[in-house]
Amino acid sequence: MAIRVVIADDQEMVRTGFRMILESQPDIEVVADVVDGEAALEAVAAHRPDVLLLDIRMPKLDGLEVTRRLSGSDRPRIVIVTTFDLDEYVHAALHGGASGFLLKDASPAMLVEAVRAAAVGDSLVSPAITVRLLREMAPRTPAAQAARRPAEPLTDREREVVRCLARGLTNAEIAGELFVSLSTVKTHLANVQAKLDARNRVEIAAWAWESGLAGTPA
């Protein structure tokens, strides 16, 4: 079954370009493209897409408010597409549960892979912003770093996997670096997600920077 996508961006050229790229793929169907945040919410309600490509700065409702209003288990996976490679709005969207982040100058192949990754509960972040974005989210004081604790301590292997994730590595790259199978990586990440009560792997990476784990030696 095709991945159903809604595109929300106030620039017509961006929407047209994204639609052309995505509709060239046999496994992706663009069910709507809209110009503002209110229309994005209406399109999600009407079409029940799997993935919502969402700009940050739009008329009526911005991408952050759309993300907030779509909280819940039945919402689509949200991929933020932004012009800015380091933006406080993107930080807020990350904490709001967005599943991926792309710059608008990302390659067509990366756009397609971001949609596919989001559809299966994974995420893809533009390499140019991965570590920089998450590092900026790290608190500057020990007290702030201690604010969030996992429900259970992470195992040594889970910590290794999370460090790799915080560097922007994909599951396959983590498996190669740690000399384990892809299924093992997925199992470790599922366990970590449960311990942190995280909504997705991006929140896990954010926690790694917030807690200081991403900056500790392996």
Side-chain angles (χ1 to χ4, degrees):
M1 182 176 293
I3 301 167
R4 295 165 55 81
V5 178
V6 166
I7 301 167
D9 194 291
D10 61 346
Q11 298 181 46
E12 183 177 358
M13 289 184 64
V14 171
R15 297 196 311 275
T16 300
F18 285 178
R19 177 182 279 275
M20 290 177 62
I21 291 167
L22 296 177
E23 289 189 334
S24 71
Q25 304 300 309
D27 60 333
I28 298 175
E29 175 188 4
V30 177
V31 296
D33 65 78
V34 297
V35 70
D36 59 54
E38 286 186 358
L41 293 175
E42 292 171 358
V44 168
H47 299 285
R48 299 294 180 184
D50 303 300
V51 178
L52 171 61
L53 288 182
L54 188 61
D55 190 16
I56 293 273
R57 296 178 177 175
M58 295 185 296
K60 297 184 180 180
L61 294 176
D62 64 26
L64 298 181
E65 181 63 15
V66 173
T67 300
R68 187 187 70 79
R69 294 194 186 189
L70 289 174
S71 61
S73 59
D74 60 343
R75 76 174 183 179
R77 304 285 182 175
I78 295 174
V79 177
I80 297 295
V81 187
T82 178
T83 303
F84 308 98
D85 64 352
L86 193 61
D87 189 347
E88 67 274 15
Y89 295 136
V90 181
H91 299 175
L94 178 62
H95 282 303
S99 297
F101 297 90
L102 289 181
L103 299 181
K104 286 187 177 178
D105 62 358
S107 68
M110 186 169 291
L111 176 66
V112 171
E113 288 308 306
V115 168
R116 289 175 176 155
V120 297
D122 208 336
S123 62
L124 189 151
V125 181
S126 291
I129 67 173
T130 303
V131 174
R132 289 171 55 196
L133 174 63
L134 296 174
R135 185 184 288 125
E136 282 295 312
M137 298 177 66
R140 300 296 189 259
T141 67
Q145 290 181 354
R148 295 181 63 187
R149 298 286 188 185
E152 300 176 30
L154 272 59
T155 67
D156 290 342
R157 180 59 90 182
E158 288 169 352
R159 291 168 66 87
E160 291 175 339
V161 169
V162 171
R163 287 191 192 98
C164 290
L165 178 66
R167 287 164 45 204
L169 273 62
T170 65
N171 287 355
E173 290 169 339
I174 295 172
E177 179 152 327
L178 298 181
F179 303 102
V180 297
S181 69
L182 185 59
S183 62
T184 297
V185 172
K186 291 180 178 179
T187 297
H188 285 313
L189 286 176
N191 291 340
V192 172
Q193 185 171 341
K195 290 180 179 180
L196 294 176
D197 192 25
R199 283 167 287 193
N200 51 56
R201 63 189 282 123
V202 183
E203 281 197 355
I204 295 173
W207 172 83
W209 285 104
E210 291 172 340
S211 66
L213 176 61
T216 60

